[in-house]
Amino acid sequence: MFILNEHAAYRKPLEAADAEVLGVAAARMVEHFLHHREGYKPTPLVSLPELSRHLGIASISIKDEGLRLGLGSFKALGGSYAVIRLVLDEATKRLGRTIDIAELHNEDVRQIAATMTVACATDGNHGRSVAMGAQLVGARSSIFVHSGVSEERIAAIARYGADMIRVDGTYDDSVREAARVAEEKSWITVSDTSWPGYERIPALVMQGYTALLTEALRQMPERPTHVFVQAGVGGIAATVAGHFSVLFGDDRPYFVVVDPSRAACLFESARAGHPVTVEHGESTVMAMLECYEPSLVAWRILSHTADAFMTVEDGDAVNAMRQLADPKGSDPAVVAGESGGVGLAALAKIASSASLRAQIGLGAQSRVFLINTEGATDPKLYQSLVGETPEQVTAKNAQPATM
Ligand SMILES: Cc1ncc(COP(=O)(O)O)c(C=O)c1O
């Protein structure tokens, strides 16, 4: 399914607070922070010339976040950044002077961090990032997981010293439970989704994601003309659309938000013209996108900046994983998890329809930007869906290409 954005706010300027969160100065600060992170290096921007020829467009550039900070997804940029910001804010307040990231490991700052507990709900990747941030600063973390989160993903979060709390129900139930318990225990909720009265911390999480765009724009020879970004609660999609709109104004690329058809909360919000909660039906293979309520901040930004909303099926997502693992001709192989290749799945769907191509102006001159938002964050599941291990797929790039 595909619809154009017909919201009254469409193409109107962002609200001032949103423009600031995703603005140039904010993106610079995120970069400054990242340069203090051990092991930081930009993720690759992979070009797929054979596939773009096959789809009848000029180029496809895919930012490979599977390699981000050892965490396997772009989420590594958001939750941990927010935790660091919160600790520095608290230290600034308690020590009575501005504390910079360079002082994060000073004894007085660590003592303050040790008194703080951060909490969040997660499908897997956001919790890993928050737990990693807490470990880095010396704070405690309590991470809430719903019944659909795999044991492998829970173990990957617990490795960062987090207390794991299991919640019956869906992701949205775990979000509510995390907020409730955090309130009761005076923990700080570091959520990647926002709701009325709770916007600042999720906005910081989104601000952290801008790093991948700063890197990508440096890596690209030319600006993209079209962008397809997958959505759970809409945080990453809103970051891309919002930041590009701040940077490029009316010249920004055409922006399509992509939802799984089984958890299409942004698509349905766009159809209704306001944020809606969709019914929980059968679960989707795109586990990280299985969210039934949009983030309020993300929805607000997307209502201004997204050009279109569409859905893809589970089969489309798995086909995209396989297509990236077993590329055409000399294109490099990319390890994309179940939610990672969804932007490509959407592009392939549009590219195969003459009327949709015409509707979004996709043609032989188009340069498409996609984000592989995660690598094989659940390696066993990856192998069962793709038929090869992540290591086998990666090894293809070290061998001469075969026909
Ligand atoms: C791998 C991956 N891709 C995409 C998303 C969607 O991000 P958002 O919830 O910000 O829309 C997530 C969210 O957890 C994710 O983990």
Side-chain angles (χ1 to χ4, degrees):
M1 289 190 294
F2 176 93
I3 51 170
L4 296 173
N5 184 2
E6 290 178 345
H7 196 275
Y10 177 51
R11 292 225 160 227
K12 299 250 163 68
L14 287 174
E15 289 189 10
D18 297 334
E20 193 181 321
V21 164
L22 299 178
V24 176
R28 262 198 221 117
M29 179 160 62
V30 171
E31 254 208 313
H32 169 64
F33 271 51
L34 263 181
H35 285 290
H36 281 86
R37 295 279 296 267
E38 208 179 313
Y40 165 68
K41 65 174 199 244
T43 56
L45 184 74
V46 179
S47 176
L48 301 173
E50 302 265 359
L51 181 59
S52 51
R53 219 166 297 142
H54 176 73
L55 296 179
I57 56 178
S59 67
I60 299 172
S61 302
I62 180 160
K63 187 75 172 145
D64 190 0
E65 291 295 304
L67 303 165
R68 180 65 71 185
L69 287 168
L71 243 62
S73 88
F74 79 98
K75 289 267 158 181
L77 291 169
S80 57
Y81 167 78
V83 171
I84 295 169
R85 282 284 306 264
L86 291 166
V87 167
L88 294 180
D89 284 358
E90 187 62 21
T92 295
K93 202 164 76 190
R94 290 208 217 161
L95 299 174
R97 64 182 178 88
T98 304
I99 305 296
D100 183 73
I101 177 84
E103 299 170 83
L104 188 62
H105 300 301
N106 289 0
E107 196 41 43
D108 47 358
V109 178
R110 285 194 78 80
Q111 272 174 15
I112 291 167
T115 66
M116 297 168 71
T117 300
V118 289
C120 73
T122 189
D123 273 332
N125 291 333
H126 174 65
R128 223 183 275 196
S129 183
V130 169
M132 183 204 220
Q135 191 178 62
L136 185 82
V137 298
R140 280 196 292 268
S141 62
S142 291
I143 311 294
F144 291 68
V145 286
H146 62 89
S147 31
V149 179
S150 72
E151 288 305 320
E152 291 231 334
R153 289 197 162 109
I154 292 174
I157 302 169
R159 234 171 267 144
Y160 290 98
D163 288 333
M164 303 304 300
I165 299 162
R166 293 167 198 254
V167 179
D168 280 340
T170 68
Y171 169 75
D172 302 295
D173 296 322
S174 64
V175 169
R176 277 187 283 275
E177 182 63 2
R180 189 190 66 76
V181 177
E183 169 84 30
E184 205 175 275
K185 304 205 178 223
S186 301
W187 295 342
I188 304 168
T189 302
V190 183
S191 176
D192 58 355
T193 191
S194 56
W195 51 85
Y198 177 74
E199 292 196 10
R200 177 170 176 266
I201 292 174
L204 285 179
V205 171
M206 290 169 57
Q207 188 171 76
Y209 305 154
T210 59
L212 76 89
L213 300 172
T214 308
E215 290 173 11
L217 289 170
R218 272 194 207 118
Q219 291 163 320
M220 275 176 209
E222 275 183 285
R223 250 195 243 168
T225 59
H226 292 75
V227 182
F228 295 80
V229 179
Q230 53 272 55
V233 299
I236 180 63
T239 300
V240 182
H243 190 53
F244 280 178
S245 126
V246 170
L247 291 180
F248 307 127
D250 282 342
D251 279 346
R252 62 181 182 260
Y254 193 94
F255 191 87
V256 184
V257 181
V258 188
D259 262 335
S261 62
R262 293 178 182 173
C265 64
L266 285 149
F267 182 89
E268 292 302 340
S269 298
R271 183 141 68 180
H274 56 86
V276 297
T277 302
V278 296
E279 292 255 321
H280 183 208
E282 226 183 316
S283 60
T284 166
V285 72
M286 294 165 257
M288 305 297 123
L289 310 185
E290 190 164 331
C291 306
Y292 300 95
E293 287 177 48
S295 161
L296 188 71
V297 176
W299 162 253
R300 189 169 64 224
I301 293 171
L302 289 170
S303 66
H304 289 69
T305 55
D307 294 291
F309 295 80
M310 68 180 283
T311 59
V312 294
E313 306 302 320
D314 278 24
D316 300 325
V318 175
N319 282 343
M321 291 170 78
R322 293 183 183 149
Q323 202 167 22
L324 287 164
D326 189 16
K328 296 197 170 293
S330 57
D331 280 356
V334 176
V335 175
E338 311 89 78
S339 303
V342 176
L344 175 62
L347 167 65
K349 237 176 154 168
I350 298 262
S352 67
S353 153
S355 70
L356 288 175
R357 286 179 80 105
Q359 216 169 340
I360 74 162
L362 188 78
Q365 307 304 319
S366 300
R367 300 180 297 277
V368 173
F369 175 56
L370 306 171
I371 305 170
N372 175 27
T373 52
E374 67 174 348
T377 50
D378 186 336
K380 275 198 202 126
L381 183 57
Y382 180 87
Q383 187 177 2
S384 75
L385 293 171
V386 172
E388 293 175 288
T389 63
E391 294 75 23
Q392 284 168 329
V393 171
T394 309
K396 292 178 193 172
N397 293 336
Q399 293 162 6
T402 50
M403 295 304 287

